[in-house]
Amino acid sequence: MKKTSTRLADGRELLYYDSRDDAVRDAVDRRPLDPISTTAEVRGDPLLGDAVAIASHRQARTYHPPADECPLCPSRDGRLSEIPAADYDVAVFENRFPSLAGDSGRCEVVCFTSDHDASFADLTEDRAGLVLEAWTDRTAELAELPQVKQVFCFENRGAEIGVTLGHPHGQIYAYPFVTPRTELMLRSAGEHRASTGRNLFDDLVARERADGVRVVLEGEHWVAFVPYAAHWPYEVHLYPRRRVPDLRALDDAARTEFPQIYLELLRRFDRIFGDAEPPTPYIAAWHQAPFVEMRGVNRSDFGLHLELFTIRRTSGKLKFLAGSESGMSVFINDVPPETAAERLREVASE
């Protein structure tokens, strides 16, 4: 992998990740951009004890542009975009409309391919592996920022999820705090250690592998399963079989196998509802250990994993977060996890 760092016209950082060591990335951003000015701030909620990012400048962000005006495509044929190069493998840049900025953290955009009409599932194994390297590198660099406590790599796909740019891309949020969801995991892990003397993440994976009924896919180094208490209609958790706290700690064998397992999962998600349906909307979210110890749980005790889920519950119908979910955070799932796992096994690639 070759990494090249440069700057956009307004001073934001842009990084190219290339498979070839001889790639030259010297294109200059020729757009007349004003310096970035954001209103992002983080406010603590005294009632719930969590945090909210207030970012009113995001009201002006690009919203469903036509394909020939996509800001994530390469700069070609006289049209200038966020990527000055005429082509690229993987590109990462600071978000022009960040939810978090400065002392409040950092937001980045990850473009998986220059092909506007592709999806992550269309990538080759080599390209998916390069994306993994980019996620890992960004985690390592963002971890060095003094204000950053946790790094979150994720992909939103589909207008139903709220995606405003159709180009295949994901994002990275570097939070100045430990997120509420991670806090809950840490609390559960601490309680499990106190009551059993064992690691919660190890026990979860061992239980699912032993039961087998919710396992969707398993390789030598990764296992994917629908969790026992899945919140979403189709939800899969992907764990390395050797527990590590974050992407930086994956060994070469796990890195090599990851593209095979993950691409197969994404392709199965696209087959769940049949060819007549539009591509399955989903969120893919990496859960990594924060960079501070919380609730008496060491970083080494956290289990890196990816959670992949869709809000589509059946053909033509979405799972909305209504009163119980939005008002009280109590999920109601219409699809039994065992049924979801069986369906995801049925739609395996031939």
Side-chain angles (χ1 to χ4, degrees):
M1 178 193 78
K2 181 180 180 181
K3 173 185 172 184
T4 306
S5 177
T6 184
R7 292 281 171 179
L8 296 172
D10 54 11
R12 287 175 294 136
E13 186 176 21
L14 165 66
L15 301 119
Y16 294 101
Y17 293 87
D18 287 287
S19 298
R20 294 177 46 176
D21 290 337
D22 60 352
V24 176
R25 298 300 182 186
D26 56 5
V28 176
D29 184 5
R30 295 181 284 111
R31 296 173 296 170
L33 298 180
D34 294 328
I36 288 295
S37 176
T38 72
T39 60
E41 63 172 311
V42 174
R43 297 184 181 181
D45 184 334
L47 188 62
L48 297 179
D50 59 9
V52 177
I54 308 295
S56 60
H57 63 278
R58 284 175 54 79
Q59 288 280 34
R61 68 187 184 274
T62 309
Y63 187 79
H64 293 298
D68 60 359
E69 296 179 16
C70 174
L72 306 185
C73 287
S75 293
R76 294 174 181 163
D77 304 322
R79 191 183 71 82
L80 305 178
S81 75
E82 292 279 63
I83 318 292
D87 197 8
Y88 62 84
D89 287 353
V90 175
V92 179
F93 59 89
E94 290 182 78
N95 198 320
R96 192 176 179 187
F97 303 97
S99 303
L100 306 165
D103 292 340
S104 296
R106 176 161 160 147
C107 293
E108 299 180 342
V109 177
V110 184
C111 297
F112 305 137
T113 171
S114 61
D115 184 352
H116 180 86
D117 298 317
S119 69
F120 202 118
D122 297 323
L123 301 183
T124 64
E125 289 184 9
D126 286 345
R127 180 61 58 83
L130 184 61
V131 175
L132 176 62
E133 291 303 313
W135 284 330
T136 304
D137 180 74
R138 298 315 302 144
T139 297
E141 288 212 352
L142 294 169
E144 297 302 316
L145 297 179
Q147 71 270 34
V148 173
K149 301 297 187 293
Q150 185 175 359
V151 171
F152 176 46
C153 306
F154 65 100
E155 179 192 1
N156 298 329
R157 188 181 81 160
E160 301 93 331
I161 295 293
V163 174
T164 57
L165 297 176
H167 195 102
H169 73 287
Q171 299 183 65
I172 301 175
Y173 277 19
Y175 295 106
F177 51 81
V178 179
T179 63
R181 188 171 176 83
T182 303
E183 287 257 24
L184 289 175
M185 292 183 189
L186 292 168
R187 184 186 70 185
S188 297
E191 293 174 350
H192 187 81
R193 174 71 74 183
S195 62
T196 69
R198 299 192 303 271
N199 182 276
L200 174 61
F201 298 95
D202 290 349
D203 282 1
L204 283 175
V205 172
R207 170 186 173 180
E208 294 296 349
R209 293 186 66 211
D211 191 334
V213 68
R214 288 176 296 277
V215 172
V216 174
L217 190 60
E218 184 167 9
E220 186 177 352
H221 303 284
W222 295 85
V223 58
F225 55 85
V226 179
Y228 174 76
H231 288 56
W232 299 94
Y234 290 89
E235 175 181 345
V236 175
H237 292 191
L238 176 62
Y239 278 81
R241 287 175 52 176
R242 181 181 71 86
R243 173 171 44 85
V244 294
D246 59 32
L247 290 166
R248 298 175 296 178
L250 289 172
D251 60 24
D252 290 342
R255 292 183 183 280
T256 299
E257 188 181 72
F258 170 78
Q260 306 163 26
I261 299 292
Y262 187 48
L263 290 172
E264 174 63 16
L265 278 178
L266 292 180
R267 290 162 186 165
R268 292 190 191 192
F269 258 58
D270 275 343
R271 297 188 189 99
I272 298 173
F273 305 105
D275 295 335
E277 287 288 322
T280 302
Y282 66 73
I283 293 175
W286 280 108
H287 291 266
Q288 305 192 79
F291 306 124
V292 293
E293 292 187 7
M294 298 289 297
R295 300 185 180 276
V297 178
N298 296 324
R299 289 196 78 252
S300 60
D301 287 332
F302 192 89
L304 167 77
H305 63 285
L306 182 144
E307 298 185 6
L308 172 68
F309 62 89
T310 179
I311 63 171
R312 187 177 290 164
R313 56 188 175 88
T314 189
S315 296
K317 297 179 182 179
L318 301 179
K319 165 64 178 176
F320 292 102
L321 300 189
S324 185
E325 292 90 352
S326 294
M328 296 302 289
S329 294
V330 178
F331 275 68
I332 302 169
N333 190 353
D334 303 305
V335 181
E338 294 75 18
T339 301
E342 182 179 13
R343 177 60 179 153
L344 286 163
R345 289 192 296 268
E346 289 176 348
V347 295
S349 297
E350 297 181 355

